[in-house]
Amino acid sequence: MPKVVVTRKIPGNGIKMLQDAGFEVVVSPHDRVLERQELLNFIQGADGILCMLTDKVNEEFINAAGPNLKVVANFAVGTDNFDPAALSSHNIVGTNTPDVLTEAVAEHTFALIMTITRRIVEADKLARSGSPPAFGPEVLLGMEIKGKTLGILGLGRIGSRVAEMGKAMGANIIYYDIKQNAEFEQKVGAVFKATPEELLKEADIISVHVPLLDSTRHLINAVRLKMMKPTAYLVNTSRGPVVDEAALVEALKTGVIKGAALDVFEGEPNHAPGLDQLNNVVMTPHIASATIEARSAMGELAAKNIIAVLSGQPPLTPVQR
Ligand code: DGY
């Protein structure tokens, strides 16, 4: 009986689907990230592994699993935790979970945009402070979305959906991507910018949706932060290392930009010193896809990928770099 290892408990029917497919399914008993050695011991003898974005899938991981390993299904759309060369050199299929989390991540991105521009966290603190202010014409003034320019860095599924949401709220949409998308431009009235720099100079809100690659690491650095308007906001729900977090702290402290809202961090789960002391930043701990709907669907899609590969079928959503 093929063995499938699941490195953390997941919601939805994914586990049951694997069991119903006739596999021996071993789920981590801990609701936490496994320590590296613990993980390497745990995956031994697996034919398929359903893993988390916190699990580094490299040569060491593949060797620890052993010679039966045929498929590693990431419980995430991002696959920067995968070493694609190691997977392909062992003929192991890697899969991810696109589409099923698009709405959840886009909605969370928009929640962050609204939270930082309307100063919801500061307002919540003030309302609970014991001495909340009476209505005041200048208390906690924020910024409206309507008529502002929303800049989308990376026009994949999630970036496109955030753009649509921004459009529905009356924002002007500009985007940068390695590929221009004429169809999307027509649909949403979005305007393509040929470089990230052009976008950074024009946008009032910049929302980052690029995958983490060598070419996107520190895409937002000190130099590019200085190109942003001092009234602009940066929002990141992609991957932490896309933003140079130390440079961001400095930019937020010194008024180079107005504010930031982050779901992802460079040294996750930790963040750069000083970030949590700033009032003009909102932080959530990598929960953009954390809806019951998305997380259940992610588990089910990962299970379907494993079932397909272990039954000799092509995976539904292989990782393509
Ligand atoms: C992903 O799936 O890559 C997201 O970061 C999860 O929230």
Side-chain angles (χ1 to χ4, degrees):
M1 186 190 279
K3 176 173 164 181
V4 175
V5 171
V6 181
T7 66
R8 192 157 175 178
K9 189 169 162 278
I10 55 171
N13 291 323
I15 304 288
K16 183 167 183 310
M17 287 164 64
L18 291 165
Q19 286 163 340
D20 289 350
F23 305 135
E24 176 196 354
V25 183
V26 186
V27 184
S28 169
H30 310 291
D31 189 17
R32 59 169 170 77
V33 178
L34 297 179
E35 299 292 338
R36 187 67 179 170
Q37 195 52 53
E38 203 179 14
L39 174 71
L40 298 180
N41 295 339
F42 187 59
I43 61 176
Q44 265 176 38
D47 296 82
I49 301 175
L50 194 162
C51 72
M52 302 294 121
L53 58 83
T54 42
D55 302 329
K56 206 162 182 44
V57 178
N58 56 10
E59 195 68 35
E60 179 187 49
F61 179 98
I62 292 166
N63 290 334
N68 294 339
L69 185 64
K70 291 171 199 66
V71 54
V72 182
N74 213 26
F75 185 81
V77 67
T79 52
D80 44 286
N81 57 318
F82 278 13
D83 176 347
L87 285 168
S88 58
S89 73
H90 290 268
N91 276 325
I92 294 165
V93 177
T95 70
N96 66 344
T97 59
D99 293 316
V100 293
L101 47 62
T102 300
E103 205 58 31
V105 177
E107 285 182 10
H108 190 75
T109 304
F110 231 88
L112 288 177
I113 291 174
M114 299 301 299
T115 304
I116 190 66
T117 57
R118 295 306 301 271
R119 306 177 64 179
I120 301 296
V121 174
E122 288 173 83
D124 180 80
K125 279 187 197 143
L126 203 54
R128 295 165 192 260
S129 67
S131 54
F135 166 83
E138 295 201 324
V139 173
L140 286 174
L141 297 183
M143 184 187 89
E144 289 178 17
I145 306 293
K146 187 170 178 188
K148 300 300 184 306
T149 299
L150 171 60
I152 306 287
L153 260 181
L155 194 76
R157 297 173 185 85
I158 297 167
S160 306
R161 190 67 189 116
V162 172
E164 286 174 357
M165 290 175 180
K167 186 71 189 173
M169 290 193 68
N172 306 309
I173 310 299
I174 59 175
Y175 75 99
Y176 167 78
D177 195 279
I178 48 170
K179 274 194 309 214
Q180 189 168 356
N181 186 337
E183 198 185 317
F184 187 80
E185 285 170 26
Q186 271 216 319
K187 185 174 157 204
V188 175
V191 176
F192 177 66
K193 295 291 154 186
T195 62
E197 287 77 10
E198 273 183 62
L199 180 135
L200 290 167
K201 284 177 192 164
E202 279 183 40
D204 298 300
I205 302 157
I206 288 129
S207 194
V208 183
H209 299 286
V210 295
L212 176 60
L213 305 166
D214 289 343
S215 56
T216 60
R217 191 174 293 275
H218 284 193
L219 177 68
I220 305 293
N221 55 20
V223 174
R224 291 205 173 104
L225 283 163
K226 289 201 178 101
M227 294 176 182
M228 288 174 61
K229 298 179 185 177
T231 49
Y233 297 90
L234 180 74
V235 179
N236 187 12
T237 54
S238 64
R239 284 293 181 267
V242 173
V243 176
D244 178 342
E245 213 168 273
L248 176 63
V249 171
E250 198 51 31
L252 288 165
K253 265 189 192 162
T254 54
V256 167
I257 67 169
K258 181 87 174 169
L262 310 169
D263 184 54
V264 288
F265 303 90
E266 229 185 315
E268 231 168 272
N270 302 313
H271 46 74
L275 195 62
D276 57 5
Q277 302 303 310
L278 301 171
N279 274 337
N280 54 348
V281 65
V282 170
M283 304 192 287
T284 53
H286 208 147
I287 58 155
S289 66
T291 62
I292 294 169
E293 295 90 338
R295 290 281 166 88
S296 302
M298 288 161 73
E300 287 154 22
L301 179 53
K304 282 184 195 165
N305 274 311
I306 292 174
I307 293 166
V309 175
L310 295 186
S311 320
Q313 304 297 317
L316 285 82
T317 51
V319 172
Q320 286 139 340
R321 282 238 167 197

